[in-house]
Amino acid sequence: MTDVIIELKGVQRYYLQGERKLNILNGADFALRRGEMVALVAPSGTGKSTLLHTAGLLERPNAGDVILGGRACGRLSDDQRTAIRRNDIGFVYQFHHLLPEFSALENIMMPQLIRGLSRPEAAKRAEQLLDYMQIGKRAQHRPAELSGGEQQRVAIARAVANAPLVLLADEPTGNLDPTTASYVFDALEALVRQSGLAALIATHNHELAARMDRRVTLSEGKVVPL
Ligand code: ADP
Ligand code: MG
């Protein structure tokens, strides 16, 4: 029995620019354990998003593999990867990517409905998450009627709506002022701690990084402790 939730093994990711090969991830190894909250801190352009997208099965590595809950995902079909993404991975972006036509509540219900839950079940869980994120009063508001911090709280609630194994967040507070960022991170941290989720969070904010269990960076395409 292992408590490793997600593991990157020798992950290679490159882009071809004409004749040139740009190695972004170059044999990256990384393991995230149950209940662990890890900060990914590295300058722009070093491959943080590439690493998170690869870990989140949004991109395939050119070599190496991603092992999620003990299951190697590299050679699975697109449909299988989509199913795993839907159930086991929560993703938060720098910009909320909420559906503008739907309320906060509906946005959090959506992934649950896609998964096959009934509307009352999905609504109940969405309400609980909104309360937990301290924006229960905003349930019926559309994204445009919410502040930046509230939008990110909804995006975080949506990401965990299906109780994933892992939460991957790509500069989730990067678009917020420092005070709002701190409050949103408080809520994110409480949620992760309470649920025992594993979380890998890219951030430029050293104060927030310092609050996580450990910090890693990218160096020459590899994940190294910071
Ligand atoms: P970060 O998130 O740390 O800013 P990224 O993972 O977004 O870094 O990008 C890492 C590098 O890969 C950058 O130099 C970027 O320009 C390059 N890159 C990202 N996506 C592509 C792509 N689709 N084609 C070519 N180069 C890319
Ligand atoms: Mg990025």
Side-chain angles (χ1 to χ4, degrees):
M1 189 60 192
T2 167
D3 64 348
V4 173
I5 296 294
I6 189 166
E7 190 173 6
L8 274 66
K9 276 192 169 168
V11 167
Q12 198 94 23
R13 188 81 173 93
Y14 56 79
Y15 296 108
L16 296 174
Q17 274 200 339
E19 299 285 279
R20 279 188 52 212
K21 190 168 150 187
L22 292 175
N23 281 313
I24 309 302
L25 301 176
N26 199 5
D29 294 312
F30 177 68
L32 190 64
R33 293 186 161 68
R34 189 179 301 281
E36 198 177 36
M37 218 174 167
V38 177
L40 174 60
V41 186
S44 286
T46 48
K48 298 183 298 299
S49 295
T50 303
L51 181 88
L52 288 165
H53 291 165
T54 306
L57 310 188
L58 292 161
E59 292 179 26
R60 281 183 196 267
N62 298 104
D65 211 342
V66 175
I67 294 137
L68 185 72
R71 187 176 189 195
C73 297
R75 274 153 211 77
L76 298 179
S77 69
D78 286 344
D79 283 353
Q80 286 171 310
R81 287 165 61 91
T82 300
I84 292 173
R85 235 178 15 244
R86 193 174 284 158
N87 297 332
D88 296 334
I89 298 168
F91 212 101
V92 180
Y93 299 87
Q94 182 171 358
F95 299 97
H96 57 82
H97 292 294
L98 297 170
L99 298 171
E101 300 304 314
F102 294 92
S103 69
L105 191 82
E106 289 167 329
N107 267 279
I108 304 169
M109 288 170 65
M110 206 67 72
Q112 303 177 78
L113 297 176
I114 291 169
R115 196 187 181 180
L117 265 72
S118 70
R119 286 192 72 87
E121 284 173 312
K124 188 171 173 217
R125 166 101 175 135
E127 278 165 15
Q128 286 168 346
L129 285 168
L130 281 169
D131 282 342
Y132 204 85
M133 297 305 281
Q134 298 182 343
I135 44 169
K137 291 198 171 70
R138 298 283 177 270
Q140 300 307 328
H141 292 231
R142 291 186 184 186
E145 299 161 348
L146 301 172
S147 70
E150 289 168 343
Q151 289 166 345
Q152 280 306 73
R153 286 167 193 259
V154 177
I156 292 163
R158 178 184 57 176
V160 302
N162 281 335
L165 291 174
V166 61
L167 179 68
L168 302 169
D170 196 353
E171 306 190 35
T173 63
N175 203 25
L176 306 175
D177 66 78
T179 307
T180 306
S182 181
Y183 284 127
V184 170
F185 188 80
D186 287 345
L188 170 65
E189 188 179 23
L191 191 72
V192 169
R193 300 298 185 199
Q194 173 265 341
S195 62
L197 256 176
L200 177 61
I201 301 170
T203 182
H204 285 291
N205 186 324
H206 287 273
E207 213 173 291
L208 300 186
R211 288 166 55 179
M212 299 192 219
D213 299 320
R214 60 188 170 97
R215 286 142 290 284
V216 296
T217 189
L218 283 162
S219 173
E220 297 178 358
K222 291 186 169 58
V223 181
V224 297
L226 186 66

